[in-house]
Amino acid sequence: MVPSKTLAALSAVRTGPNHHAPRLGSWLNMAEVESSALCRQCLHRRVPGLRNMREGIATWETDRNERQSKTDWHFTTDDG
């Protein structure tokens, strides 16, 4: 037998808000790609302080924006 609290939680999940997310190339995927690039290219080393980290991220961000870096999707619908 399933406890009543579990049933209540499942019911809340089923009736909770439904948010639309694009199926292909969603903003969340792009944010994850950018976050990964930031970690690999900028935060891969020990940063001595918060100020240094903020300056490094600002420099990295400016460079990415000037180069107009884009997300290159390799996975296609046909691959799926």
Side-chain angles (χ1 to χ4, degrees):
M1 179 166 186
V2 180
S4 62
K5 287 185 180 180
T6 303
L7 291 175
L10 287 173
S11 176
V13 168
R14 286 188 194 121
T15 60
N18 187 7
H19 300 286
H20 172 71
R23 289 173 19 127
L24 302 173
S26 73
W27 65 268
L28 181 57
N29 291 342
M30 289 186 266
E32 289 174 345
V33 168
E34 285 298 306
S35 175
S36 176
L38 172 63
C39 289
R40 282 183 284 110
Q41 297 171 4
C42 184
L43 302 176
H44 63 281
R45 65 194 189 295
R46 180 161 167 35
V47 181
L50 184 59
R51 181 176 178 194
N52 294 63
M53 183 177 69
R54 286 181 176 158
E55 290 172 356
I57 290 173
T59 301
W60 174 85
E61 182 180 18
T62 299
D63 180 59
R64 297 270 298 175
N65 289 337
E66 286 176 355
R67 290 188 290 130
Q68 296 182 354
S69 299
K70 298 193 179 358
T71 303
D72 183 19
W73 299 105
H74 295 281
F75 188 81
T76 65
T77 306
D78 294 335
D79 294 335

